[in-house]
Amino acid sequence: MFEFRIIAECPHTGARAGELITPHGIIKTPVFMPVGTLATVKAMSPLELHEIGSQIILGNTYHLYLRPGSEIIGKAGGLHSFMGWDKPILTDSGGFQVFSLAKLQKITDESVLCRSHIDGSQLIMSPEWSMNMQGVLGSDIAMSFDQCCEFPASHEKAEEAVKRTTLWAERSKKYFESHNDTEKQALFGIVQGSVYDDLRIRSAEEITSMDFTGYGIGGLSVGESHPAMYHALDVLNDVMPKNKPRYLMGVGYPLNIVEAISRGVDMFDCVLPTRNGRNATVFTSTGRLNMRGKVHADDFSPLDPECDCYTCRNFTRSYLRHLAMCGEILGSRLFSWHNLRFTIRIAELSREAIIAGNFPDFVREFTSKFHDDNNSSD
């Protein structure tokens, strides 16, 4: 039921346009996936996500285990029916929470002992726990349980995370193939290694040898510089299989997306579009804007004249600033709407350029126009 096809490839960069076939539809790649941690993309309805062009969204195993719990979602018939979403869903394994909740847990090769960030109750997380929970969620794509380490991390600590990630990947795959419905759910492995070339290569070789349906690239966008991220992707580009989808986890900054696509990445996710939207910060074709800035008070032009989203088609910068200054909920929704569409459209335009054979021209034009110094705040 799962198949990944490469439709076109840029001969100059290795950027790929592909199709990932899943039980809930075909995903055209490159693709940006909005994050719906708690079975909702913040401020957006499923109907609006359809209009924005979302092909696939994310849910988070750890958070959904705590609220509303596996029993409720199981009774609902899985995550798709529970949240009213009829397209593909990818679920994070909970491994990132091992990293982000580091002060709350003890990690061993066997499992992770942590306490709920909600009520302090004890939780034991393991590869088997994660696969079981993701089976209940019924996502189209499940992620293997992994260990992400902080940045900076010593080579010794990063190597320990790589060893554990490989061990947990083996256990994840074994449990998944024995207990989950492999006709309806695929499992991706995750490559770790921080910013160390030897560890990235080692992790990639170990994880890809297990022949997962696809591969996540974890442990980036955790504090390292953009050049360090790009270097890690360059290193991996030569050792990861060409016939499997590659998913750069937790990356949603526009320039990072374009540069990563140039390095053979197919899938992205990040909370940045909606988090920034709730804080009146938007991405446009010329860069990032703080919409609380006075410069927008009497600007009656669209937020971004090059964007085709509902916000840009119907409202002015002046009105949007007014919503931001008044703390109106509509402002958060419209900014999130725009940011999601803008980010999704980057992937769409990249795909079109790859197929048309002019992807390097697209990259040059996009990167020459997009600047962070447009962040007016006074």
Side-chain angles (χ1 to χ4, degrees), residues 306-325:
E306 295 185 21
C307 181
D308 61 2
C309 80
Y310 173 74
T311 302
C312 292
R313 294 196 317 267
N314 291 280
F315 304 102
T316 66
R317 292 187 179 191
S318 175
Y319 177 67
L320 293 168
R321 178 184 183 269
H322 161 69
L323 295 178
M325 298 304 291

Side-chain angles (χ1 to χ4, degrees), residues 22-252:
T22 78
H24 285 90
I26 297 175
I27 302 165
K28 296 181 179 180
T29 63
V31 63
F32 177 80
M33 306 179 285
V35 176
T37 301
L38 288 164
T40 173
V41 177
K42 291 188 184 299
M44 307 304 299
S45 73
L47 182 65
E48 291 161 342
L49 291 171
H50 276 283
E51 181 170 333
I52 287 168
S54 303
Q55 300 184 71
I56 174 175
I57 61 174
L58 269 69
N60 182 270
T61 299
Y62 165 82
H63 289 284
L64 291 171
Y65 175 80
L66 295 179
R67 294 183 297 187
S70 56
E71 183 177 355
I72 296 296
I73 295 178
K75 287 181 178 179
L79 193 54
H80 286 91
S81 57
F82 182 64
M83 66 181 295
W85 176 252
D86 60 357
K87 290 187 177 183
I89 295 176
L90 182 150
T91 45
D92 189 3
S93 68
F96 184 76
Q97 279 63 48
V98 176
F99 161 76
S100 62
L101 301 176
K103 294 181 180 179
L104 303 178
Q105 45 74 54
K106 177 183 178 182
I107 304 176
T108 67
D109 286 349
E110 181 60 30
S111 61
V112 176
L113 176 65
C114 66
R115 294 192 177 276
S116 163
H117 69 287
I118 300 171
D119 60 11
S121 59
Q122 191 175 88
L123 170 64
I124 299 176
M125 302 167 65
S126 69
E128 294 77 16
W129 166 87
S130 178
M131 295 304 101
N132 176 68
M133 182 61 190
Q134 290 184 81
V136 173
L137 294 175
S139 56
D140 297 82
I141 300 171
M143 301 300 298
S144 63
F145 199 58
D146 69 314
Q147 182 180 348
C148 175
C149 58
E150 72 279 0
F151 180 86
S154 67
H155 188 279
E156 180 182 13
K157 191 164 186 178
E159 184 176 22
E160 180 182 312
V162 165
K163 290 180 180 177
R164 193 165 283 141
T165 292
T166 298
L167 173 65
W168 287 352
E170 292 170 344
R171 286 169 53 189
S172 293
K173 195 167 192 288
K174 181 179 180 180
Y175 186 96
F176 178 86
E177 291 179 344
S178 298
H179 296 81
N180 295 38
D181 188 343
T182 57
E183 289 296 313
K184 295 182 179 179
Q185 189 175 51
L187 181 63
F188 280 23
I190 301 176
V191 174
Q192 290 289 346
S194 187
V195 293
Y196 300 103
D197 292 5
D198 62 321
L199 295 181
R200 280 287 169 187
I201 293 171
R202 171 180 165 182
S203 183
E205 290 175 345
E206 290 176 353
I207 298 300
T208 60
S209 70
M210 300 181 208
D211 194 29
F212 289 94
T213 301
Y215 299 98
I217 301 170
L220 294 176
S221 193
V222 292
E224 80 285 354
S225 67
H226 291 178
M229 176 194 294
Y230 303 152
H231 177 74
L233 294 176
D234 284 332
V235 169
L236 289 174
N237 201 6
D238 292 331
V239 294
M240 295 186 72
K242 302 292 186 183
N243 63 335
K244 300 289 183 74
R246 304 171 185 175
Y247 161 31
L248 180 54
M249 306 177 72
V251 171

Side-chain angles (χ1 to χ4, degrees), residues 4 16-20 27-31 55 266-267 351:
F4 180 63
R16 301 116 64 86
E19 292 180 347
L20 177 57
I27 302 165
K28 296 181 179 180
T29 63
V31 63
Q55 300 184 71
D266 307 295
M267 304 168 69
R351 176 185 171 83

Side-chain angles (χ1 to χ4, degrees), residues 241-280:
K242 302 292 186 183
N243 63 335
K244 300 289 183 74
R246 304 171 185 175
Y247 161 31
L248 180 54
M249 306 177 72
V251 171
Y253 183 64
L255 290 178
N256 292 164
I257 291 176
V258 172
E259 292 290 349
I261 290 173
S262 300
R263 291 164 170 82
V265 174
D266 307 295
M267 304 168 69
F268 304 85
D269 83 285
C270 194
V271 299
L272 194 62
T274 49
R275 177 179 290 168
N276 277 6
R278 296 193 302 277
N279 291 286

